Each structure stands twice: as C-alpha cells, then as structure tokens.
C-alpha cells in the first residue's frame, strides 16, 4: 500500500443502493460501490467516510484512507461454490487490511436464502468466511472478529465493504444472544464470523459500529411470521448491545454528533409500518436512515437494523 500522495484529491466514499448490478461508483468527487438492493425511502446513498485519499491497491482491493480508517471494497462472482467465493473474497479483504484491525464489514450476498446442493448460500458464505479468518488469524480468530452485517442482494456478485483502523478496536457481545461465532452447527457447518458491536477511537472522534441486529435470542430466531414482534425483539437487542458497548441503552455516544442507520425489510410492503414504528421509538430528527429491501440471512427473519454512531473522543 502506498502512502497517500499530497497532491491526491480528497473524495467522499459512498455506497449507492438501487443499482442494477454491483460495480464501481463513478462520480465527481466520489468513489465507492454501487449495489443492487432497492432503496425504499428518500435516501439511497450511504456516506460514512467523508474525505478520503487514495491509499494504493493491495490484493486487488483499491484502498482509501479517511481521517480514521483504511476503507476498501471488493467483489467476487458468487459462482457455483459460494463457500469458495467467500473464502477468496475474505482472503483479499484480510490481506488488504494488512496490519490495520478490521472494525466493520458490510456483506452483500446474492441469493442469500437459495440452496446450492442442499446448503443455503448464507451458510456456505459463513463457512468460507470462517475458513479465511482462521487461516489468517489462527485458532483464536474469534477474538479479532469485527462488527458486520450480511444481507441479500440481486445479481451474481458477492460484495464486501470494510473499514479498518491502526488503533485497537474493542468488540462487544449482547448478553441475551449467543455470540454468532459460537452458534451451534444446526445453523450451518461453520458459524458466522462477526462481533455484535465494535468501538474504536479515531483521531478526533469515537466510532461505534452496531452490527446487523435481528429477532434472535440465544441462537434461535424469535417470532417467525410476526413482523411486529420481530421489530420489538430487534429493538430490545439494539438496547442490550448499546448498553453492553457502553453507549447507554439508547445508542448514544457522548457528544454524539451523528447517528446513521440502515433498516432492511424482507418485504417492501412492511416499509411504511417499520418507518412509522421506528420513528415513534428508535429514531430522532437528524438521524440519517437508509431503508432497504433485502433478503436476510435466515429465511424467517423479516427485519434487520444496523447503526453507526460517531461521537466526540
Ligand atoms: C444474526 O444475528 C443475524 O453474517 O455477517 C447479523 C449481522 C447477521 C451480521 C453476518 C449476520 C451477519 O445472526 C444475521
């Protein structure tokens, strides 16, 4: 990886939803990834990292340096063997992060609930991802796993966006959920590789990444077929992980300047109801919220919510 050259332009990193296929974003002053998930609300672009400088290329991943993170993204055709595709993608992500510590990974998985030779794509993806982490970090790899989300998309390309820090992040778990990396084998041959939340100090601000959160208690899905009950369980899990990560019970960093949310609903028809209920409860004026329609990693899950909170140091 090259040091950013002083003449390099600063660009905003964006993830643009509603694209026809996964691919590089081209715009003036902007770099990033376009993704094939429908946006349901007014906002279709996520901008977490405002001013970034090109930071070279590593293992086929173009890298950018924002004030606080090394940020990169990469894609891999899902192909006939999602497990191998995920392993290849993750080898590149881990190698490109290099000595930086992974803090957050966003995964977009085509046909996430489809079964390929009897194994659901998400479970195959989890197995490949786990193998890559174990290969890179050794048998203790779970201690280093960052916050993440893993949701469906259309098309045939697996995508990952990551943020990594040169400072040591802290990872947190929800006391009422089994850590995903310890889910029992009934959920797939290798458990999902992520922490429920990651907090890291930047140069001037502190970042809290809350993973995709859904209606799961212990390791079991709750309230299959009941959207309202899943929403309430998801909010309860958000409250619990917020407390565990030291953010109070309402997703708040001291001097909290910015709150970014993504809300994924499996059925577009549930959008209006989700928005009405979340605007009464979780959300506040000034929050930046992206509403997306996506298949979720377990066929029975109907809603998932993630958050990125940025506060004073
Ligand atoms: C869960 O809690 C729901 O595979 O990276 C949430 C966050 C979920 C991240 C991932 C999956 C992932 O198991 C799904």
């Amino acid at each position: 990886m090259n040091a950013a050259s002083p003449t390099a332009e600063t660009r905003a990193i964006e993830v643009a939803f509603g694209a026809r296929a996964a691919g590089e974003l081209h715009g003036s002053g902007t770099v990033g990834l376009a993704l094939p998930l429908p946006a349901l609300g007014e906002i279709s672009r996520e901008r977490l990292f405002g001013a970034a400088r090109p930071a070279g290329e590593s293992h086929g991943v173009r890298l950018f340096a924002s004030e606080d993170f090394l940020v990169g993204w990469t894609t891999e055709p899902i192909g006939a063997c999602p497990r191998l595709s995920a392993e290849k993608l993750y080898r590149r992500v881990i190698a490109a992060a290099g000595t930086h510590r992974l803090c957050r990974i966003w995964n977009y998985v085509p046909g996430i609930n489809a079964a390929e030779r009897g194994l659901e794509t998400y479970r195959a993806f989890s197995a490949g991802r786990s193998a890559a982490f174990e290969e890179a970090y050794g048998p203790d790899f779970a201690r280093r796993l960052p916050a993440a989300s893993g949701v469906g998309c259309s098309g045939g390309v697996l995508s990952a966006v990551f943020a990594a820090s040169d400072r040591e992040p802290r990872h947190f778990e929800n006391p009422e959920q089994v850590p995903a990396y310890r889910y029992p084998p009934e959920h797939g041959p290798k458990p999902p590789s992520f922490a429920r939340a990651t907090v890291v100090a930047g140069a001037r601000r502190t970042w809290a990444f809350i993973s995709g959160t859904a209606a799961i208690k212990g390791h079991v899905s709750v309230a299959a077929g009941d959207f309202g009950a899943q929403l309430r369980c998801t909010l309860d899990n958000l409250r619990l992980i917020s407390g565990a990560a030291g953010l109070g019970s309402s997703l708040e960093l001291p001097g909290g300047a910015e709150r970014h949310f993504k809300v994924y609903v499996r059925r577009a028809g549930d959008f209006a109801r989700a928005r009405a209920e979340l605007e009464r409860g979780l959300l506040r004026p000034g929050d930046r919220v992206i509403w997306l329609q996506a298949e979720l990693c377990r066929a029975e899950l109907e809603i998932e919510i993630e958050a990125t909170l940025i506060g004073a140091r």
Side-chain angles (χ1 to χ4, degrees), residues 107 122 125-126 129 148-150 177 180 183 192-194 196 211-214 216 297-298 301 304:
N107 300 287
Y122 174 66
F125 163 83
S126 289
R129 172 174 59 175
S149 49
Q177 293 187 297
Y183 282 172
S193 304
F194 68 95
R196 300 285 173 195
S211 293
T213 301
I216 295 172
C297 66
R298 295 184 183 185
L301 294 177
E304 183 172 313

Side-chain angles (χ1 to χ4, degrees), residues 49-219:
F49 312 105
R53 292 164 281 110
E57 183 170 331
S58 173
H59 298 81
V61 184
R62 272 170 76 213
L63 295 167
F64 292 84
S66 72
E67 179 173 54
D68 293 326
F69 296 101
L70 182 70
V71 181
W73 53 91
T74 185
T75 61
E76 178 76 32
I78 192 87
C81 185
R83 179 181 176 139
L84 192 60
S85 303
E87 189 169 345
K88 284 191 196 160
L89 180 97
Y90 265 79
R91 282 188 180 141
R92 286 207 307 279
V93 165
I94 294 165
T99 58
H100 287 71
R101 278 67 138 197
L102 289 164
C103 295
R104 183 49 162 112
I105 307 180
W106 292 266
N107 300 287
Y108 300 94
V109 183
I112 192 167
N113 299 132
E116 199 62 56
R117 277 177 271 134
L119 187 62
E120 195 178 23
T121 299
Y122 174 66
R123 296 177 175 208
F125 163 83
S126 289
R129 172 174 59 175
S130 176
F133 273 119
E134 186 165 13
E135 176 186 70
Y137 295 164
D140 252 4
F141 69 98
R143 297 172 38 196
R144 294 179 58 180
L145 294 174
S149 49
V151 301
C153 64
S154 57
V157 171
L158 180 60
S159 301
V161 180
F162 65 89
S165 171
D166 56 10
R167 298 173 199 248
E168 199 63 54
R170 287 175 301 146
H171 307 300
F172 297 92
E173 291 300 316
N174 180 331
E176 293 188 8
Q177 293 187 297
V178 172
Y181 49 78
R182 287 199 212 122
Y183 282 172
E186 65 193 77
H187 299 291
K190 290 279 181 71
S193 304
F194 68 95
R196 300 285 173 195
T198 295
V199 177
V200 66
R204 291 177 301 137
R205 304 188 294 172
T206 296
W207 295 71
F209 298 105
I210 310 294
S211 293
T213 301
I216 295 172
K217 290 289 185 185
H219 60 82

